[in-house]
């Protein structure tokens, strides 16, 4: 399966979980499980996407508008990480916690819409079908390894709190953060 199809499929999976939050009352026990699952899935998705997909596009993009689109996509990932950190705070599951989950959902939906239109268009322009297929295979292996590693370590798939900060980054350093996702490139 090509990388664009995989990304789209993962978008639908996370979106469905985020939609389920709307039906929960703030104190509903399902919110805890949904929040944990969303955080695990989304953290892995963002890490693999940046290492295998965005890095390829970022290094090839020369058009100024496309570069802006890439920076916007990276920035939206940082916003999602920040919102997920709020969810990991361990505080009471209340109206505020549900509101933060809903804001995460709105942010993710906006990002998905932009990514599937703008970033996918850049990918189709800069990559041929064989390359998209190859990246899809690498994605599946990297994601599987990351998910099994996070499960076996008892972690929830994200050790990116340090990476979530930071202000101005150069084009070359953007998206090349050293963290638990760095091991993903060993699939090459």
């Amino acid at each position: 399966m090509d990388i664009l199809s995989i990304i789209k499929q993962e978008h639908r999976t996370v979106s469905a979980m985020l939609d389920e939050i709307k039906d929960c009352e703030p104190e509903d026990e399902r919110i805890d499980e949904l929040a944990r699952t969303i955080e695990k899935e989304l953290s892995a998705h963002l890490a693999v996407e940046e290492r295998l997909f965005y890095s390829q596009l970022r290094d090839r993009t020369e058009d100024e508008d496309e570069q802006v689109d890439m920076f916007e996509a990276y920035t939206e990932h940082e916003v999602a990480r920040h919102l997920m950190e709020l969810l990991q705070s361990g505080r009471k599951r209340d109206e505020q916690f549900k509101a933060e989950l809903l804001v995460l959902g709105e942010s993710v939906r906006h990002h998905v819409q932009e990514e599937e239109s703008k970033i996918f268009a850049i990918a189709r322009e800069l990559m041929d079908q064989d390359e998209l297929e190859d990246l899809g295979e690498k994605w599946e292996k990297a994601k599987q390894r990351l998910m099994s590693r996070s499960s076996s370590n008892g972690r929830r798939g994200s050790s990116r709190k340090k990476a979530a900060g930071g202000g101005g980054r150069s084009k070359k350093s953007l998206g090349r953060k050293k963290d638990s996702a760095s091991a993903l490139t060993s699939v090459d």
Side-chain angles (χ1 to χ4, degrees):
M1 186 180 306
D2 73 77
I3 193 167
L4 303 180
S5 298
I6 293 169
I7 291 171
K8 202 174 220 180
Q9 183 178 36
E10 290 188 12
H11 286 166
R12 300 306 172 263
T13 299
V14 170
S15 290
M17 287 185 280
L18 288 163
D19 287 343
E20 199 174 329
I21 297 287
K22 294 177 188 175
D23 297 330
C24 295
E25 294 299 321
E27 64 282 347
D28 192 327
E29 291 179 15
R30 291 183 301 158
I31 287 184
D32 283 333
E33 183 58 34
L34 285 167
R36 278 190 296 276
T37 304
I38 289 166
E39 189 275 330
K40 182 178 179 179
E41 291 292 326
L42 202 49
S43 292
H45 177 88
L46 298 177
V48 175
E49 188 166 64
E50 288 178 6
R51 293 294 289 168
L52 294 180
F53 185 52
Y54 282 12
S55 64
Q56 294 285 322
L57 297 177
R58 177 197 62 226
D59 291 343
R60 296 180 191 187
T61 303
E62 294 180 9
D63 179 80
E64 192 174 286
D65 289 337
E66 290 176 347
Q67 288 175 352
V68 169
D69 290 339
M70 290 305 304
F71 278 109
E72 183 179 354
Y74 275 110
T75 303
E76 289 171 348
H77 278 199
E78 290 303 319
V79 169
R81 282 190 188 94
H82 174 70
L83 290 168
M84 287 187 298
E85 283 179 21
L86 293 174
L87 302 177
Q88 296 170 349
S89 68
R91 46 175 225 284
K92 181 181 173 193
R93 302 318 195 220
D94 57 9
E95 291 80 5
Q96 182 179 352
F97 185 79
K98 180 178 177 180
E100 289 165 354
L101 275 168
L102 293 173
V103 170
L104 174 63
E106 292 168 10
S107 177
V108 167
R109 278 188 261 304
H110 168 79
H111 174 71
V112 164
Q113 180 182 12
E114 295 263 319
E115 184 173 81
E116 289 183 7
S117 61
K118 295 178 181 179
I119 303 302
F120 282 21
I122 294 169
R124 287 185 190 103
E125 175 187 323
L126 298 176
M127 297 176 173
D128 62 29
Q129 189 59 38
D130 288 340
E131 192 171 11
L132 294 171
E133 294 283 340
D134 182 54
L135 284 173
E137 288 177 32
K138 289 178 180 179
W139 178 292
E140 289 176 331
K141 290 175 185 174
K143 178 89 182 275
Q144 184 177 36
R145 191 169 45 256
L146 183 60
M147 295 298 280
S148 66
R149 187 179 306 140
S150 69
S151 295
S152 67
N153 290 340
R155 296 180 2 228
R156 295 192 330 230
S158 177
S159 63
R160 301 191 133 231
K161 289 187 180 187
K162 291 180 186 172
R169 288 182 281 265
S170 71
K171 179 182 175 190
K172 289 293 180 186
S173 69
L174 189 59
R176 294 185 185 180
K177 301 174 191 112
K178 301 294 181 194
D179 61 14
S180 63
S182 295
L184 295 174
T185 56
S186 62
V187 225
D188 295 346

